[in-house]
Short mmCIF file of all heavy atoms in Angstrom, two decimals:
data_model
loop_
_atom_site.label_atom_id
_atom_site.label_comp_id
_atom_site.label_asym_id
_atom_site.label_seq_id
_atom_site.Cartn_x
_atom_site.Cartn_y
_atom_site.Cartn_z
N ARG A 198 -193.60 64.69 32.44
CA ARG A 198 -194.29 63.66 31.69
C ARG A 198 -193.36 63.03 30.65
O ARG A 198 -193.39 61.82 30.42
CB ARG A 198 -195.52 64.26 31.00
CG ARG A 198 -196.35 63.26 30.22
CD ARG A 198 -197.56 63.92 29.60
NE ARG A 198 -198.36 62.96 28.85
CZ ARG A 198 -199.44 63.28 28.16
NH1 ARG A 198 -199.86 64.55 28.16
NH2 ARG A 198 -200.11 62.37 27.52
N ARG A 201 -191.01 60.58 32.31
CA ARG A 201 -191.74 59.37 32.72
C ARG A 201 -191.96 58.45 31.54
O ARG A 201 -191.81 57.22 31.64
CB ARG A 201 -193.08 59.76 33.36
CG ARG A 201 -192.97 60.27 34.78
CD ARG A 201 -194.34 60.46 35.37
NE ARG A 201 -194.27 60.77 36.79
CZ ARG A 201 -195.34 60.87 37.58
NH1 ARG A 201 -196.55 60.69 37.07
NH2 ARG A 201 -195.19 61.14 38.87
N ALA A 207 -187.84 52.76 28.31
CA ALA A 207 -186.59 52.08 28.63
C ALA A 207 -186.84 50.81 29.43
O ALA A 207 -186.17 49.79 29.24
CB ALA A 207 -185.67 53.02 29.40
N ALA A 217 -184.75 38.07 26.23
CA ALA A 217 -184.06 37.54 25.05
C ALA A 217 -182.71 36.91 25.43
O ALA A 217 -182.36 35.82 24.95
CB ALA A 217 -183.85 38.66 24.04
N GLN A 222 -179.38 32.11 26.24
CA GLN A 222 -178.43 31.34 27.05
C GLN A 222 -178.99 29.96 27.42
O GLN A 222 -178.24 28.97 27.46
CB GLN A 222 -178.07 32.13 28.32
CG GLN A 222 -177.31 33.41 28.07
CD GLN A 222 -175.89 33.16 27.61
OE1 GLN A 222 -175.60 33.18 26.41
NE2 GLN A 222 -174.99 32.91 28.55
N LEU A 227 -178.91 24.02 26.25
CA LEU A 227 -179.55 22.79 25.77
C LEU A 227 -178.83 22.22 24.56
O LEU A 227 -178.68 20.99 24.43
CB LEU A 227 -181.01 23.09 25.42
CG LEU A 227 -181.93 23.44 26.59
CD1 LEU A 227 -183.34 23.72 26.08
CD2 LEU A 227 -181.96 22.32 27.63
N ARG A 233 -173.27 17.07 23.21
CA ARG A 233 -172.17 16.54 24.03
C ARG A 233 -170.86 17.26 23.71
O ARG A 233 -169.81 16.65 23.48
CB ARG A 233 -172.01 15.04 23.84
CG ARG A 233 -173.27 14.20 24.04
CD ARG A 233 -173.80 14.33 25.46
NE ARG A 233 -172.81 13.86 26.43
CZ ARG A 233 -172.95 13.93 27.75
NH1 ARG A 233 -174.06 14.50 28.26
NH2 ARG A 233 -172.02 13.47 28.57
N GLY A 238 -160.95 20.66 27.75
CA GLY A 238 -161.03 19.67 28.81
C GLY A 238 -162.22 19.80 29.73
O GLY A 238 -162.34 19.01 30.68
N GLY A 246 -173.89 24.21 32.39
CA GLY A 246 -174.21 24.90 33.64
C GLY A 246 -173.69 26.33 33.68
O GLY A 246 -174.36 27.24 34.16
N LEU A 254 -177.62 35.30 35.49
CA LEU A 254 -177.06 36.52 36.07
C LEU A 254 -177.36 37.75 35.22
O LEU A 254 -177.79 38.80 35.72
CB LEU A 254 -175.55 36.36 36.27
CG LEU A 254 -175.12 35.34 37.33
CD1 LEU A 254 -173.61 35.23 37.39
CD2 LEU A 254 -175.68 35.73 38.70
N VAL A 271 -193.29 55.39 37.41
CA VAL A 271 -194.52 55.48 38.20
C VAL A 271 -194.41 56.57 39.27
O VAL A 271 -195.32 57.39 39.44
CB VAL A 271 -194.83 54.11 38.85
CG1 VAL A 271 -196.00 54.22 39.82
CG2 VAL A 271 -195.13 53.08 37.77
N GLY A 276 -184.20 57.31 42.53
CA GLY A 276 -183.64 56.61 43.68
C GLY A 276 -182.25 57.14 44.00
O GLY A 276 -181.74 58.08 43.38
N ARG A 281 -178.72 54.01 40.99
CA ARG A 281 -177.88 54.52 39.90
C ARG A 281 -176.71 53.57 39.60
O ARG A 281 -176.28 53.46 38.45
CB ARG A 281 -177.35 55.91 40.26
CG ARG A 281 -178.43 56.97 40.28
CD ARG A 281 -177.89 58.35 40.61
NE ARG A 281 -178.94 59.34 40.52
CZ ARG A 281 -179.29 59.97 39.40
NH1 ARG A 281 -178.63 59.72 38.28
NH2 ARG A 281 -180.27 60.85 39.39
N VAL A 293 -171.15 46.36 26.07
CA VAL A 293 -170.47 45.12 25.68
C VAL A 293 -171.30 44.33 24.68
O VAL A 293 -170.78 43.78 23.69
CB VAL A 293 -170.15 44.29 26.94
CG1 VAL A 293 -169.56 42.94 26.55
CG2 VAL A 293 -169.19 45.04 27.85
N LEU A 297 -170.31 43.07 20.84
CA LEU A 297 -170.41 41.67 20.43
C LEU A 297 -171.44 41.46 19.33
O LEU A 297 -171.29 40.55 18.49
CB LEU A 297 -170.75 40.79 21.63
CG LEU A 297 -169.71 40.75 22.75
CD1 LEU A 297 -170.21 39.90 23.92
CD2 LEU A 297 -168.38 40.21 22.24
N GLY A 303 -174.88 41.50 13.64
CA GLY A 303 -174.80 42.51 12.59
C GLY A 303 -175.07 43.89 13.18
O GLY A 303 -175.22 44.08 14.39
N TRP A 304 -175.14 44.86 12.28
CA TRP A 304 -175.35 46.23 12.72
C TRP A 304 -176.75 46.45 13.27
O TRP A 304 -176.99 47.41 14.00
CB TRP A 304 -175.09 47.19 11.58
CG TRP A 304 -173.63 47.27 11.23
CD1 TRP A 304 -173.01 46.73 10.14
CD2 TRP A 304 -172.61 47.93 11.98
NE1 TRP A 304 -171.66 46.99 10.17
CE2 TRP A 304 -171.38 47.75 11.29
CE3 TRP A 304 -172.60 48.67 13.16
CZ2 TRP A 304 -170.18 48.26 11.74
CZ3 TRP A 304 -171.40 49.18 13.61
CH2 TRP A 304 -170.21 48.99 12.91
N ALA A 310 -178.98 47.52 20.68
CA ALA A 310 -178.31 47.66 21.98
C ALA A 310 -177.99 49.11 22.30
O ALA A 310 -178.12 49.55 23.45
CB ALA A 310 -177.04 46.81 22.01
N MET A 321 -181.09 58.49 33.34
CA MET A 321 -180.19 58.83 34.44
C MET A 321 -179.85 60.32 34.46
O MET A 321 -179.65 60.90 35.53
CB MET A 321 -178.91 58.00 34.34
CG MET A 321 -179.12 56.52 34.57
SD MET A 321 -177.56 55.59 34.56
CE MET A 321 -176.75 56.27 36.00
N TYR A 324 -183.15 62.69 35.65
CA TYR A 324 -183.48 62.77 37.07
C TYR A 324 -182.26 63.26 37.84
O TYR A 324 -181.21 62.62 37.81
CB TYR A 324 -183.92 61.41 37.61
CG TYR A 324 -185.28 60.99 37.13
CD1 TYR A 324 -185.43 60.22 35.98
CD2 TYR A 324 -186.43 61.37 37.82
CE1 TYR A 324 -186.68 59.83 35.53
CE2 TYR A 324 -187.68 60.98 37.38
CZ TYR A 324 -187.80 60.22 36.24
OH TYR A 324 -189.04 59.84 35.80
N PRO A 326 -179.71 63.88 40.95
CA PRO A 326 -179.40 63.02 42.10
C PRO A 326 -180.07 63.52 43.35
O PRO A 326 -180.17 64.73 43.60
CB PRO A 326 -177.87 63.11 42.20
CG PRO A 326 -177.51 64.37 41.50
CD PRO A 326 -178.53 64.55 40.41
N PRO A 328 -180.53 64.10 47.43
CA PRO A 328 -179.65 64.27 48.59
C PRO A 328 -179.77 63.09 49.54
O PRO A 328 -180.80 62.42 49.56
CB PRO A 328 -180.16 65.56 49.23
CG PRO A 328 -181.59 65.67 48.78
CD PRO A 328 -181.63 65.08 47.40
N HIS A 342 -186.01 69.94 42.18
CA HIS A 342 -186.10 70.47 40.84
C HIS A 342 -184.90 71.35 40.55
O HIS A 342 -184.21 71.83 41.43
CB HIS A 342 -187.39 71.29 40.67
CG HIS A 342 -188.63 70.47 40.77
ND1 HIS A 342 -189.22 69.85 39.68
CD2 HIS A 342 -189.39 70.14 41.83
CE1 HIS A 342 -190.30 69.19 40.07
NE2 HIS A 342 -190.42 69.35 41.37
N ARG A 343 -184.67 71.56 39.30
CA ARG A 343 -183.60 72.43 38.90
C ARG A 343 -183.92 73.86 39.27
O ARG A 343 -185.09 74.22 39.41
CB ARG A 343 -183.38 72.32 37.39
CG ARG A 343 -182.95 70.90 36.96
CD ARG A 343 -182.79 70.81 35.46
NE ARG A 343 -182.38 69.45 35.08
CZ ARG A 343 -182.26 69.06 33.83
NH1 ARG A 343 -182.48 69.89 32.84
NH2 ARG A 343 -181.88 67.82 33.56
N ASP A 345 -184.01 76.54 37.56
CA ASP A 345 -184.81 77.26 36.58
C ASP A 345 -186.07 76.51 36.20
O ASP A 345 -186.66 76.76 35.17
CB ASP A 345 -183.98 77.50 35.31
CG ASP A 345 -183.46 76.19 34.72
OD1 ASP A 345 -183.48 75.18 35.45
OD2 ASP A 345 -183.03 76.20 33.55
N GLU A 348 -192.62 73.62 39.61
CA GLU A 348 -193.21 72.32 39.91
C GLU A 348 -193.83 71.68 38.69
O GLU A 348 -193.87 70.47 38.56
CB GLU A 348 -194.28 72.48 41.01
CG GLU A 348 -193.72 72.91 42.36
CD GLU A 348 -192.85 71.83 42.97
OE1 GLU A 348 -193.05 70.66 42.60
OE2 GLU A 348 -191.99 72.16 43.79
N ASP A 362 -195.46 99.16 52.20
CA ASP A 362 -196.56 99.44 53.12
C ASP A 362 -196.56 100.92 53.48
O ASP A 362 -195.52 101.54 53.72
CB ASP A 362 -196.41 98.60 54.39
CG ASP A 362 -196.50 97.12 54.08
OD1 ASP A 362 -197.12 96.80 53.03
OD2 ASP A 362 -195.96 96.31 54.84
N GLY A 380 -212.49 125.25 76.75
CA GLY A 380 -213.90 125.61 76.56
C GLY A 380 -214.66 125.36 77.82
O GLY A 380 -214.11 125.21 78.92
N ALA A 395 -211.14 144.71 80.13
CA ALA A 395 -210.82 145.78 79.19
C ALA A 395 -209.63 146.57 79.66
O ALA A 395 -208.90 147.15 78.85
CB ALA A 395 -212.03 146.70 79.03
#
Side-chain angles (χ1 to χ4, degrees):
R198 182 179 180 182
R201 283 187 172 186
Q222 294 289 97
L227 293 180
R233 307 299 299 176
L254 292 177
V271 173
R281 291 182 176 273
V293 175
L297 296 177
W304 289 105
M321 293 184 65
Y324 288 92
H342 294 270
R343 297 178 180 175
D345 57 343
E348 294 293 336
D362 297 336

